[in-house]
Each structure stands twice: as structure tokens, then as C-alpha cells.
Amino acid sequence: MKRLIAAMVIALPMFGSAALAQETVKIGYIDPLSGGGASVGEGGLKTFQYLADELNAKGGILGKKVEIVPLDNKTNPQESLIQAQKAIDSGVRYITQGNGSSVAGALADFVTKYNERNPGKEVLYFNYAAVDPVLTNEKCSFWHFRWDANSDIKMEALTNYMKDQPSIKKVYLINQDYSFGQSVRTTARAMLSKKRSDIQIVGDELHPLLKITDFAPYIAKIKASGADTVVTGNWGQDIALLLKAAADAGLKVSWYTYYAGGAGGPTAIKQTGLNHQVFQITEGFANVAHKESQDFEKAFRAKVDLSLWYPRAVNEMRMFAAAADKAKSVDPVKVAQALEGMKFEVFNGGQGEMRKDDHQFFQPIYVSSFGDIPAGQFDEEKTGWGWKQVAKIDTAQTMLPTTCKMDRP
């Protein structure tokens, strides 16, 4: 991988100052638009296109039109580097990606090395969903900014809620076999052991990423283990199909998840009949009591026919515009400097902060459960069920220390 990155960076053509003067601010959206991750990738693309339209309706960024350039990476790190090269060749100075921490790691390395070799022609990488903690710790980069809470922050909040649930006795861990899934399982074990030493881990499973079409054998193992609770970081089709298999098998356990609200997840939860027994940890959800975000949700659903999975994408795009306005420039170096330490009113209400030390964004985060909701609230995937808040963690309580030692230009 390192040799591939180095070769590609050297091969990238130089481009002149005309890129800085372009009338359009292009953002390369590098995410899966085919294969097992396509459902979440397509949803993300629609979200960013909607947000670009929102900015353009207000005059764009410093008077320049914002354009989202879709690039299909098939959730593959090597393909992502090819798409990043294509983006830069076409004048893109900003890329965004979220699905897959292995992809994120490759992109962060690529952008860092490219910028080292091409001063004056820098590219910024905006990460909206890849949450492996290493990206803002030992592998941090000045050229990478993350708007989602990393998996350690999420697990800290999730296990703080779980420790106060006396019904949790036996936990089964099932996760995707790559850097993020491995991080979830390791951190879950450590934090549950520390906070509730009486909880028994009765299973710990890793499976291939976005390759399983039938999770029935895995559900059979969970049933046989006697687990009362499952913890998973699965996303995309891997959470939807896992929950579908649980529904088919009549598995009656509680689920603590990162991404049950993604494409197909709500429908599968409804099929299980587990009313407010499936939980997720997010930076927001449709039924947060906040008028501005609920007005946005209503307009978004009317135009896109999709619920907003990514409040963090709204924060990313709005902060990009605010940073450019502060810097009075769309030059990536100046925008990056303006983003460092920026405090911002987040989409669902409350103040967020982009920590200068590691470029990790901090914001309020929520534990919510899925099931019956009062009339008039937002449901998901036309199931009649929706998300309900069970806990909120304020920004200050989400801040974990970092080991980042950042080199700055």
C-alpha cells in the first residue's frame, strides 16, 4: 500500500494557479456507489448534493458555486486512491469520504504525501464518518479533519449507558473484520470489563466486510450462547442483513449499535418486533427536540425521500463555508487554519468544536432507541417506528485525550 501511494503521488500531474481562480468549488465525494456499500454511499451522495444546493442558494462559498463530484471507490482502498487522483486531475482541492476506515487511512496517507510533494497545490480531506481512533491519534494529519465522533468516544458513551442497565448480563460482540470493527470489539471488551465486571462476554465474532449475504449461521451462534445483548459496529448491508436474520430467527435480545439507523436497518428492526430494544449512538437523529433541525429534516425528506443519516455532513459543509469566509479564501491551507479550533453551533443544537490538536470534532452525542413514537414525530422507512432519545452526552463529556503529534506546514 505504501509503495502504491508513493507511486501515485509522484505520478500526479502538476496544475497551475488557474485552479485557485476557478469559479466552482469542487468537492470530490469518494465513497461506494456500487457493491455492498452502495446503499449508504448513494444516501451520502444525495445528502451532500442537497447541502451543496443549500449553500448555492445562499450564494455558494465566497460567491463560488459548490459542486459535488461523485467518485465510486467500491469501498476499496486502492480504488479510492485512483479516484483521488482523478479528482485532483480535474481540479478538485477538497475530498470527502466516510464509509470505511481502511479507505480513510489510505486517503489520509495519500493526501499528506501529495501535499508534501506539491506545496501551493494542497488538497484537504474532510472525513464525515470513518471513525477508527488512529486517524486522529498516531496517524493524525494536518490535512485530515473528522466530523464524526471516533469509535472510542462512541463506545465510552454507549457503555456509560449500558452499565446502568441491570438486565444486561451476557453480551455477544459481532463486528466487521477490518480496523474499525476490530477497534469496536477491543474497546467494548475493555470498557465493559472496567465499568461492569459482572457482565459476561459470551461470544466475540469477526466476519468479512460487506461480503455476507445470509447471517443466519451467526444468529444461530448468538442464540446458542444465551446472550441477552448484542454489541455491534456493523454498517451498511451488514447491519441490515444481520437484523433481518435476527427477525427471521426470532432472536429476542437487546442491540447496542453504531449504525442501525442506516439503509434497511429500521425496516429490519420493525420485523424483529423489538420495540425500543435496539439502540444506537449518534450525533443526532430526526426527533431531537430542536426546531431548526426538524424543519431541515422535513424539507430534506420532501426533496430527497430519505431521512438524514448524517447530521455531521451538515456540520461539515456549513463549517467549510464558515472557515472559507473567515479565511476570505478557498485555498486549502487557509481553510484548514481557519477550521482549527473553530467553535460552531451544530445541526441538532449545542456547541461543537474542532480540536486543533488532532482535528477531531466534538459535539453533543445521543443514545436513542427505535420503536413506537408519538403521533407527529418522524418515523423511518415508513415503518411507523422512529428514534427516541434515552440519553444525551454534552460536548465537554465526549472529549477523550489524543496521542496526536501533528506536523503543520
Side-chain angles (χ1 to χ4, degrees):
M1 175 64 74
K2 290 181 178 178
R3 288 195 296 271
L4 175 62
I5 292 171
M8 292 180 67
V9 169
I10 293 170
L12 285 174
M14 306 289 276
F15 58 94
S17 59
L20 280 177
Q22 62 187 354
E23 290 304 313
T24 301
V25 178
K26 295 182 179 181
I27 302 173
Y29 175 83
I30 302 176
D31 253 332
L33 301 174
S34 63
S39 59
V40 290
E42 288 285 359
L45 176 58
K46 291 176 181 178
T47 301
F48 277 97
Q49 288 173 331
Y50 183 93
L51 293 168
D53 289 344
E54 178 186 64
L55 287 175
N56 289 334
K58 298 176 181 178
I61 295 180
L62 296 182
K64 299 177 184 293
K65 181 182 177 181
V66 180
E67 177 187 351
I68 305 300
V69 181
L71 298 153
D72 180 15
N73 69 357
K74 305 176 179 64
T75 328
N76 180 281
Q78 289 83 1
E79 183 64 27
S80 298
L81 302 186
I82 294 170
Q83 296 304 323
Q85 178 175 346
K86 287 182 180 179
I88 295 172
D89 288 349
S90 69
V92 168
R93 304 289 295 277
Y94 294 88
I95 62 173
T96 192
Q97 176 271 344
N99 294 294
S101 288
S102 56
V103 169
L107 284 174
D109 284 347
F110 171 80
V111 168
T112 299
K113 289 180 171 61
Y114 171 82
N115 290 344
E116 288 172 355
R117 290 169 170 82
N118 295 279
K121 303 173 180 65
E122 291 85 358
V123 175
L124 276 189
Y125 166 31
F126 291 163
N127 171 2
Y128 73 93
V131 295
D132 189 335
V134 301
L135 295 168
T136 46
N137 283 291
E138 54 265 39
K139 292 187 178 180
C140 66
S141 168
F142 176 80
W143 309 107
H144 165 265
F145 290 82
R146 172 158 55 196
W147 270 267
D148 199 1
N150 73 41
S151 63
D152 286 356
I153 296 169
K154 292 185 178 186
M155 188 58 72
E156 177 78 12
L158 204 59
T159 52
N160 280 344
Y161 179 79
M162 292 175 67
K163 70 181 175 59
D164 295 326
Q165 309 307 311
S167 61
I168 299 177
K169 302 292 186 184
K170 296 182 177 181
V171 171
Y172 199 104
L173 307 175
I174 180 166
N175 289 285
Q176 297 153 318
D177 191 8
Y178 77 114
S179 59
F180 162 63
Q182 293 160 9
S183 174
V184 171
R185 74 183 305 208
T186 301
T187 308
R189 274 186 170 275
M191 290 186 177
L192 287 172
S193 175
K194 180 180 179 180
K195 297 172 185 180
R196 276 281 304 277
S197 59
D198 61 304
I199 288 178
Q200 185 180 356
I201 304 296
V202 295
D204 188 350
E205 192 89 39
L206 290 173
H207 63 80
L209 173 66
L210 302 175
K211 300 291 185 184
I212 307 298
T213 57
D214 182 6
F215 278 91
Y218 295 92
I219 294 298
K221 290 182 183 181
I222 296 172
K223 290 186 78 170
S225 74
D228 53 59
T229 302
V230 174
V231 175
T232 180
N234 279 20
W235 57 270
Q237 69 175 29
D238 284 343
I239 184 63
L241 293 177
L242 180 62
L243 289 166
K244 182 181 182 301
D248 292 343
L251 178 64
K252 300 298 181 183
V253 298
S254 294
W255 293 77
Y256 288 85
T257 79
Y258 282 31
Y259 302 115
T267 299
I269 299 170
K270 182 66 181 289
Q271 291 171 347
T272 69
L274 296 175
N275 192 7
H276 291 295
Q277 286 183 255
V278 177
F279 302 84
Q280 69 171 355
I281 179 78
T282 61
E283 79 285 4
F285 58 97
N287 292 317
V288 172
H290 181 252
K291 183 180 185 305
E292 289 81 0
S293 61
Q294 291 201 350
D295 288 346
F296 180 101
E297 184 84 31
K298 184 176 180 179
F300 181 78
R301 291 185 182 210
K303 183 172 182 179
V304 181
D305 194 28
L306 189 74
S307 58
L308 181 67
W309 302 333
Y310 305 120
R312 51 193 177 270
V314 183
N315 295 331
E316 174 189 313
M317 290 289 279
R318 291 178 178 176
M319 286 181 69
F320 177 19
D325 186 62
K326 178 181 177 182
K328 295 180 174 53
S329 173
V330 293
D331 177 72
V333 177
K334 294 178 180 178
V335 169
Q337 291 168 341
L339 280 170
E340 289 196 314
M342 178 180 281
K343 295 182 179 179
F344 195 81
E345 180 73 15
V346 299
F347 174 73
N348 284 113
Q351 190 172 81
E353 179 181 348
M354 181 62 73
R355 186 163 63 185
K356 182 176 180 179
D357 293 349
D358 56 355
H359 295 182
Q360 171 66 59
F361 189 62
F362 294 92
Q363 61 203 305
I365 53 178
Y366 301 82
V367 181
S368 56
S369 64
F370 193 72
D372 288 334
I373 51 172
Q377 290 196 348
F378 293 105
D379 76 337
E380 301 295 331
E381 297 182 348
K382 300 178 175 62
T383 60
W385 281 12
W387 294 102
K388 179 184 76 173
Q389 180 177 319
V390 298
K392 178 183 179 182
I393 302 91
D394 290 328
T395 303
Q397 279 68 57
T398 69
M399 292 187 175
L400 297 181
T402 180
T403 60
C404 173
K405 292 179 173 56
M406 187 176 290
D407 292 327
R408 288 182 166 79

